[in-house]
Amino acid sequence: MEPMYYIGLDVHKRKISYCGKDSSGKVFAEGSFPARRLDLDHWMKTLPQPWSAAMEATMFTGWIYDHLKPHAAALKVAHPLMLRAIAAAKKKNDRVDAGKICDCLRCDFLPESYMASTAIRERRRTLRYRNLLVRQMVQMKIKTSALLMEAGVSYNKQRLHKAGYFRELLATNPDIDAGLCSLLRLCRETVVRLGKTESALVRSLERDSLLVERVERLMTIPAVGPITALTWALEVGDVQRFSSIKKAISYCGLCGAEKSSGNTVQRTPLSKQRNKHLQTTLIEAAKMAPRNSPELAMLYDQEKQKGNANRATLAVARKLVAYLMAVDRGQRNFQVATRNIAA
């Protein structure tokens, strides 16, 4: 059996630092090179075979991972928060970090992070771009209201962003001068343009051959629409990586952290270590869910009696995670479980 060579990579925007060691821990290569595909190809030609590599998860990791994957015996991505706790040291620089990542990989002590397939990550990028467009739309609508309030213009809040009412407001209200009118029209045009782009992105994802069957199954769950289904499918990736519903709930950020010492146990609010895109989407879906499902409405009422509305919403969101897990893992449409009551 050939000996394995281990490589730790410290990845940055312009530069990649590396440290290579054999199974005994002896350094055989160390240095850095520009973060470009051509330089990666030249660097890989200098490596002994077979080799495995690891790097920390950053915004630059994706394309480097895809480029190295076909050539490596094994390629892993480390969880940044857990890796920081393991590799904490007084002296910290790119060379030292690359060496520590290499040692963690060599000793099988690397806190590995899940890496979705290239196809899923590409579609996830599209969905997250759609989320950016929605945020910008909301900002422009808020700015429209702010401009009217600054000028002391009265308007109907519920109808402001309707096309007919907006045109009528600009044409008939004497308090809107020419300068304000041009700014309001610009805001309106931006909102319309962003809305059309957002709708086109969602339609393209809904019709994608990789996602269409999965999304249709997920949408059989009450209160799960196309955005919730797409967010779950693209942010979770392979649902089989969660061994239990509790782990999926934790990943979605629907539970608090626990700090205990001795006999003292402290529960904190919702953990910040979560997938924020899933957390936001599931909580918004949970707010609407009681209107669409009698079972979820009953759960909401029961939890609200024990605490408050926020606690009830979180309980509904956790139940939605259980539904999504069951449908996704079983690859079948949602069905409400029926209980046989003996006469």
Side-chain angles (χ1 to χ4, degrees), residues 36 58 84 95 119 127 158 188 243 258 302 321 324 342:
R36 296 193 298 261
T58 67
R84 194 174 302 132
R95 182 180 61 83
L127 182 64
Q158 283 71 34
R188 177 64 189 175
S243 58
E258 178 182 324
Q302 290 173 351
V321 172
L324 290 162

Side-chain angles (χ1 to χ4, degrees), residues 226-254:
I227 301 303
T228 305
L230 285 168
T231 303
W232 173 267
L234 294 176
E235 296 294 341
V236 167
D238 182 10
V239 72
Q240 302 297 338
R241 66 191 179 102
F242 296 118
S243 58
S244 67
I245 294 174
K246 287 185 177 180
K247 291 185 177 180
I249 289 173
S250 176
Y251 179 76
C252 296
L254 300 175

Side-chain angles (χ1 to χ4, degrees), residues 56 79-89 100 104 109 111 273:
E56 187 178 353
H79 193 292
L81 291 178
M82 296 181 182
L83 185 65
R84 194 174 302 132
I86 295 171
K100 288 185 178 295
C104 289
F109 201 53
Q273 296 184 33

Side-chain angles (χ1 to χ4, degrees), residues 288-313:
M288 304 295 294
R291 306 179 187 181
N292 302 295
S293 169
E295 292 78 14
L296 294 178
M298 185 182 301
L299 174 63
Y300 180 87
D301 292 336
Q302 290 173 351
E303 292 296 326
K304 191 174 181 181
Q305 291 174 4
K306 299 177 184 178
N308 53 39
N310 290 337
R311 174 176 173 172
T313 300

Side-chain angles (χ1 to χ4, degrees), residues 67-80:
H67 199 75
L68 295 179
K69 183 68 175 176
H71 307 280
L75 191 59
K76 297 183 178 181
V77 177
H79 193 292

Side-chain angles (χ1 to χ4, degrees), residues 216-225 320 323-325 327 334:
E216 287 177 355
R217 281 196 303 268
L218 294 172
M219 286 177 61
T220 61
I221 302 171
V224 172
L320 281 176
Y323 287 169
L324 290 162
M325 284 276 290
V327 170
F334 177 79

Side-chain angles (χ1 to χ4, degrees), residues 130-145:
R130 174 261 169 195
N131 296 340
L132 172 65
L133 297 182
V134 171
R135 290 196 298 271
Q136 291 178 338
M137 258 197 301
V138 172
Q139 290 174 351
M140 294 308 298
K141 289 181 178 180
I142 293 172
K143 187 59 180 178
T144 301
S145 301

